Amino acid sequence: MHDDLRYDWTHDQIREIYETPFMDLIHRAATIHRRYHDPSEVQVCKLISIKTGACPEDCKYCSQSARYKTEIDVTPLMPVDEVVETARRAKENGVTRVCLGAAWRQVKDNHQFDRVLDMVRQVTDLGVEVCCTLGMLTEDQAQRLEQAGLHAYNHNVDTSNEYYDKIITTRTYQDRLRTLANVRKTRVTICSGGIIGLGETEDDRISMLKTLSSFNPHPESVPINVLAKVPGTPLADAPDVSVFDTVRMIATTRIVMPRSVVRLSAGRAKMSPSDQALCFLAGANSIFSSEAKIMLTKAVPSQSYDEDKALLQQLDLKIRKPFKTDPASCHEPVPLSSETVSSKWPGVG
Ligand code: SAM
Ligand code: SF4
């Protein structure tokens, strides 16, 4: 069953997969997808931006960086009740995973973090998976999130190590890996992926997949975002990514990390239903949906709950239940010791 599970994919091997003739690539990815997952299921997630904008970081794609003039509504940390109410409505609409995102560089040990911990507890009590994306975390903060019942922590590597400083200069790739290692020392599962369309080369995409697939265990969740071009950011006029490149990226991700949930994330709003069907065939098994057609900020749109219900119905797909413990596709996260992290995540420990 687990013959395809490897943590030592080389750059050349991943490149060979990425360059496979398109139809053969989809066939291989779909075959692996069926071996590890129920292909009739898609998980529906909802991102709630609990603190929006005014971020000190300079991520060149981001509508929330204070350095760029973008059309977003800057808002302070939301009250707990409002977050729980939004999550409750999301659940009513089929959402089984709620992601709480804050435009922070890092978590600080203050009353705001206490409020986020409260949100984690109360949204978890609704019976959905809760994921947080709050920026950099210390080991102690990861443990406090674990104690609050957090299911997943999102921290995208975004692109390759080599291209990272063309996109972000206010933190390093190593900083990113260090936070992921801190999460891996707890039972909180890891959500980490990236963005295509940042002006990166195919080798950068492959290098990013090599980084992610070298983690043992693999991230339980891998979002593949297509850049949502935000007016006012340095990447506002980046060249379009073809849907075939997106499908290639999803298929390659599915093949090198067969057990992970592959999330078709930002950029889906621009895709036709048939483009999305191709992504599901190639191994994507999660989408983000929203009542107000906003995925992150109004500059990063998504489909509405109703549009997505219609899409899934048309494709005869069902909504994946939360906390699914399908033995082939999921595993109980086992916290790694500091020594194991140091030996398996070179230069991070
Ligand atoms: N501040 C936190 C951080 O950077 O980790 C969380 C904020 S943000 C929700 C997390 C992710 O959203 C980013 O790592 C990036 O991959 C994705 N994202 C943000 N803006 C995007 C855009 N314009 N297009 C595509 N993906 C985007
Ligand atoms: Fe800030 Fe996160 Fe946006 Fe970067 S991606 S500017 S860290 S909110």
Side-chain angles (χ1 to χ4, degrees):
M1 172 66 76
H2 291 154
D3 289 356
D4 319 293
L5 255 187
R6 292 177 43 180
Y7 307 95
D8 60 352
W9 292 103
T10 65
H11 190 94
D12 287 347
Q13 287 168 335
I14 301 177
R15 169 167 268 289
E16 205 181 314
I17 296 170
Y18 187 88
E19 288 176 345
T20 305
F22 191 74
M23 296 303 171
D24 295 341
L25 176 62
I26 296 193
H27 181 260
R28 180 170 171 193
T31 306
I32 290 188
H33 185 53
R34 276 153 197 269
R35 198 172 296 156
Y36 286 86
H37 302 266
D38 180 344
S40 68
E41 284 185 349
V42 168
Q43 184 167 40
V44 182
C45 313
K46 157 80 178 149
L47 180 68
I48 306 177
S49 183
I50 58 173
K51 182 266 171 185
T52 307
C55 181
E57 301 281 72
D58 71 350
C59 312
K60 292 193 174 36
Y61 51 79
C62 189
S63 56
Q64 305 199 72
S65 168
R67 294 163 197 247
Y68 318 129
K69 222 171 150 325
T70 60
E71 294 278 317
I72 59 161
D73 301 322
V74 174
T75 45
L77 187 64
M78 283 168 71
V80 178
D81 291 356
E82 218 176 289
V83 172
V84 176
E85 180 50 27
T86 308
R88 199 192 50 73
R89 280 200 308 274
K91 188 185 174 193
E92 268 175 19
N93 279 285
V95 165
T96 64
R97 183 168 171 118
V98 172
C99 185
L100 308 177
W104 286 331
R105 169 178 164 74
Q106 70 213 78
V107 169
K108 295 186 180 141
D109 292 302
N110 57 17
H111 64 283
Q112 297 213 335
F113 186 37
D114 294 339
R115 197 193 294 178
V116 173
L117 294 170
D118 224 13
M119 291 174 193
V120 171
R121 283 186 279 266
Q122 294 198 36
V123 179
T124 301
D125 282 348
L126 297 176
V128 292
E129 295 174 15
V130 181
C131 175
C132 278
T133 180
L134 313 169
M136 293 185 272
L137 281 186
T138 64
E139 212 175 311
D140 178 65
Q141 290 162 343
Q143 281 165 8
R144 289 183 68 197
L145 285 163
E146 177 187 32
Q147 281 154 15
L150 187 69
H151 181 70
Y153 196 79
N154 164 268
H155 204 60
N156 293 332
V157 295
D158 278 342
T159 186
S160 67
N161 185 14
E162 298 75 23
Y163 195 57
Y164 200 72
D165 65 1
K166 305 285 178 309
I167 299 300
I168 298 149
T169 66
T170 49
R171 58 171 187 255
T172 65
Y173 214 62
Q174 283 301 308
D175 289 333
R176 220 58 187 163
L177 299 186
R178 197 169 300 114
T179 290
L180 290 171
N182 287 338
V183 176
R184 201 37 112 198
K185 292 176 195 168
T186 70
R187 284 187 190 280
V188 176
T189 59
I190 287 184
C191 174
S192 188
I195 310 178
I196 56 174
L198 303 173
E200 75 286 346
T201 61
E202 285 184 353
D203 275 318
D204 288 313
R205 293 177 189 169
I206 289 157
S207 170
M208 177 180 91
L209 291 181
K210 180 173 174 341
T211 298
L212 294 169
S213 62
S214 69
F215 298 153
N216 182 359
H218 292 153
E220 287 78 4
S221 155
V222 182
I224 299 296
N225 292 284
V226 182
L227 176 71
K229 292 186 245 177
V230 179
T233 62
L235 290 171
D237 299 316
D240 281 339
V241 174
S242 97
V243 70
F244 301 111
D245 277 10
T246 307
V247 174
R248 233 173 235 291
M249 190 66 184
I250 287 172
T252 309
T253 306
R254 168 53 64 229
I255 293 167
V256 299
M257 289 174 278
R259 271 200 310 201
S260 308
V261 173
V262 176
R263 303 189 193 275
L264 173 58
S265 307
R268 191 172 66 91
K270 282 195 163 173
M271 290 184 181
S272 68
S274 47
D275 290 347
Q276 295 175 62
L278 207 48
C279 292
F280 298 140
L281 190 63
N285 53 352
S286 171
I287 54 174
F288 284 84
S289 193
S290 153
E291 52 202 342
K293 300 186 76 149
I294 291 175
M295 182 180 156
L296 176 58
T297 63
K298 61 186 177 189
V300 184
S302 86
Q303 276 84 346
S304 69
Y305 292 138
D306 289 343
E307 283 167 323
D308 283 332
K309 280 179 202 163
L311 174 76
L312 297 187
Q313 202 175 10
Q314 242 173 352
L315 299 177
D316 299 317
L317 293 169
K318 342 183 258 279
I319 295 178
R320 178 182 158 121
K321 293 201 164 55
F323 308 106
K324 189 153 182 240
T325 48
D326 175 349
S329 63
C330 296
H331 61 282
E332 274 294 301
V334 179
L336 297 184
S337 67
S338 297
E339 294 71 37
T340 314
V341 167
S342 317
S343 64
K344 287 197 177 168
W345 300 43
V348 176

